[in-house]
Amino acid sequence: MIQHLDKSNFDATINTNDVVLVDFFADWCGPCKALHPALEELATDFDGVAVISKINVDKNPELAAQFKVRSIPALFYFKNGEVVGTQNGVQSKSVMTSHLESIIKS
């Protein structure tokens, strides 16, 4: 299940889970909607191994600004609370899976 993050739960989620994928998105964003099904599948595939999450940039502009999100969808990969990778635009499930697997193994 995809976790929805905001200012109140962002730090706790990032800092208490080994691997977290954060999708910065907006409800009006077509490419963001296109990415959603793959994220749902990743949440199932990596259940218990990595957290798949989303942050609405319209409702959380301070988090978008903190990470200098300039275009969406923007994917941020965290390991042990630190950003270890980013991707912009719609990515295939296989690309995101490969990236997550490499982060988990590192």
Side-chain angles (χ1 to χ4, degrees):
M1 183 167 143
I2 294 177
Q3 292 188 17
H4 289 271
L5 303 181
D6 57 28
K7 191 174 176 181
S8 70
N9 63 359
F10 178 80
D11 287 335
T13 301
I14 296 303
N15 293 318
T16 60
N17 294 282
D18 291 339
V19 178
V20 181
L21 168 57
V22 177
D23 169 33
F24 285 88
F25 80 103
D27 291 330
W28 49 262
C29 169
C32 299
K33 291 177 184 177
L35 184 63
H36 187 77
L39 293 172
E40 288 280 357
E41 290 179 23
L42 289 175
T44 299
D45 294 349
F46 286 91
D47 186 35
V49 180
V51 173
I52 310 302
S53 61
K54 297 176 76 86
I55 295 176
N56 185 318
V57 297
D58 292 331
K59 295 179 181 175
N60 300 282
E62 65 286 340
L63 287 172
Q66 178 181 341
F67 290 96
K68 297 176 176 57
V69 174
R70 292 192 166 87
S71 64
I72 53 176
L75 302 173
F76 282 73
Y77 296 84
F78 291 83
K79 183 163 188 176
N80 301 321
E82 300 293 323
V83 176
V84 294
T86 62
Q87 295 171 317
N88 288 315
V90 176
Q91 305 295 318
S92 68
K93 180 185 173 190
S94 63
V95 167
M96 293 183 289
T97 297
S98 294
H99 208 75
L100 283 168
E101 287 173 347
S102 69
I103 292 167
I104 291 164
K105 292 176 185 173
S106 66

